[in-house]
Amino acid sequence: MTTAARLYTRQQLIETRQLIPVSDGIADDFGFTLPVAYSLAVWSDTIGLPANYAAPRDRAERQWRREWYLLLSLYDAIQQYRDDGRQPPARLDFEHYRLPGERGFIDPRPVRLAAEKSPGDHGEQVITIMQPDQRVPWV
């Protein structure tokens, strides 16, 4: 049996915006010491806002807040394991309440996401937040 070759590196996916790194400082707020990135699908669905949504500064602030709350949801899911004296799994499914945006709703709506800790391009540990049906393509 042969193994499949890696099609892309994590860095290539970041350069082509298929992965979006967490904004500077946000991961630090929750004590994440590993590099964290979102799949483009997660960014588009839960964080990003269209260019015409608001004034650029207001849009950036709203996206920052949406990103901060998403990492809070992941942090809470990890803490539930730790509070029970357990180690979180390498792939952790969690629930996040997506903040209202241009999608026509005013109340937060639940969405299922997954966070996976896996080796990066050079064997270092990284975290990728993705939709539950997505997989890390460089492993």
Side-chain angles (χ1 to χ4, degrees):
M1 175 158 53
T2 61
T3 58
R6 292 168 59 162
L7 298 177
Y8 303 99
T9 66
R10 181 177 171 89
Q11 186 59 41
Q12 287 172 323
L13 293 171
I14 288 171
E15 289 169 0
T16 60
R17 304 238 352 121
Q18 297 302 304
L19 283 178
I20 294 90
V22 167
S23 295
D24 291 340
I26 295 178
D28 296 339
D29 288 350
F30 300 101
F32 289 106
T33 58
L34 304 177
V36 182
Y38 311 102
S39 71
L40 178 59
V42 167
W43 173 265
S44 299
D45 187 51
T46 62
I47 298 169
L49 295 167
N52 63 354
Y53 178 71
R57 180 182 169 130
D58 185 47
R59 186 177 62 252
E61 288 174 10
R62 288 176 188 231
Q63 285 181 170
W64 187 93
R65 183 172 43 235
R66 294 161 70 94
E67 190 174 1
W68 193 91
Y69 279 111
L70 188 140
L71 281 185
L72 175 62
S73 295
L74 174 58
Y75 174 82
D76 286 345
I78 291 169
Q79 284 306 116
Q80 287 177 2
Y81 276 87
R82 290 183 176 155
D83 289 347
D84 292 341
R86 299 179 294 152
Q87 184 70 18
R91 184 176 174 94
L92 175 64
D93 291 331
F94 67 101
E95 185 171 72
H96 169 64
Y97 281 84
R98 178 177 38 210
L99 295 177
E102 50 76 37
R103 292 173 182 84
F105 58 89
I106 58 172
D107 294 321
R109 299 240 172 128
V111 60
R112 297 294 302 167
L113 298 172
E116 187 168 327
K117 185 168 83 170
S118 61
D121 295 340
H122 306 288
E124 76 285 10
Q125 292 294 298
V126 298
I127 298 172
T128 306
I129 301 171
M130 61 196 99
Q131 294 180 334
D133 63 340
Q134 293 183 301
R135 295 289 179 253
V136 177
W138 62 86
V139 176

